[in-house]
Amino acid sequence: MCTDNVPLRDPTHLFDAPLYTDHGRAVFWPDISKDHPSNAIWRVVGKPCSYRSWTFESGQMIIDKAGNRGLNLAALLIAQEMQREGHDFWFHLCSGDKDTFRWAFEMLDLEYEESPRWMSLLGTFNPFDNNRFCGQ
């Protein structure tokens, strides 16, 4: 079985954290890249580009469907549609399924929070396969 990540402790404490409860009941973790200001996605969603904004890592996220007055569910449905029927268009503008969550929340102007703590990597670079990363 493959997985994007493995929690090292019970994550239930996150549901009581102000990071979650005070920000639309939606928390995302940053990925390792940022969007370029010339990317058309900014114009499509009607937002100004900010270099402080990282892309999202979709291996872990905390979202209450009832959060943001129930509109978190709408954001999830928009992200689902972007991943299914519109994936050719959306994946050309962003880094695949992981960013559809971010853009759906942005399109609806919903509150969310980005975790101040980054995920850690566990693995090695394989020198026999163009230094491809192998691990978690």
Side-chain angles (χ1 to χ4, degrees), residues 24-37:
R25 301 186 71 82
V27 179
F28 298 94
W29 276 258
D31 204 350
I32 59 173
S33 62
K34 292 185 176 184
D35 289 309
H36 193 275

Side-chain angles (χ1 to χ4, degrees), residues 79-98:
Q80 177 185 20
E81 191 62 23
M82 293 167 77
Q83 293 169 24
R84 293 174 66 201
E85 294 299 322
H87 73 276
D88 287 339
F89 175 78
W90 293 107
F91 288 16
H92 180 73
L93 296 176
C94 61
S95 299
D97 66 326
K98 66 188 194 71

Side-chain angles (χ1 to χ4, degrees), residues 8-10 20 25 27 29 35 39 48 50 70 73 76 83-85 87 92 96 110 113 115 119 121 135:
L8 298 179
R9 67 181 263 206
D10 183 351
Y20 174 73
R25 301 186 71 82
V27 179
W29 276 258
D35 289 309
N39 186 337
S50 169
L73 178 58
L76 292 174
Q83 293 169 24
R84 293 174 66 201
E85 294 299 322
H87 73 276
H92 180 73
L110 296 179
E113 188 59 76
S115 172
M119 296 288 106
L121 299 176

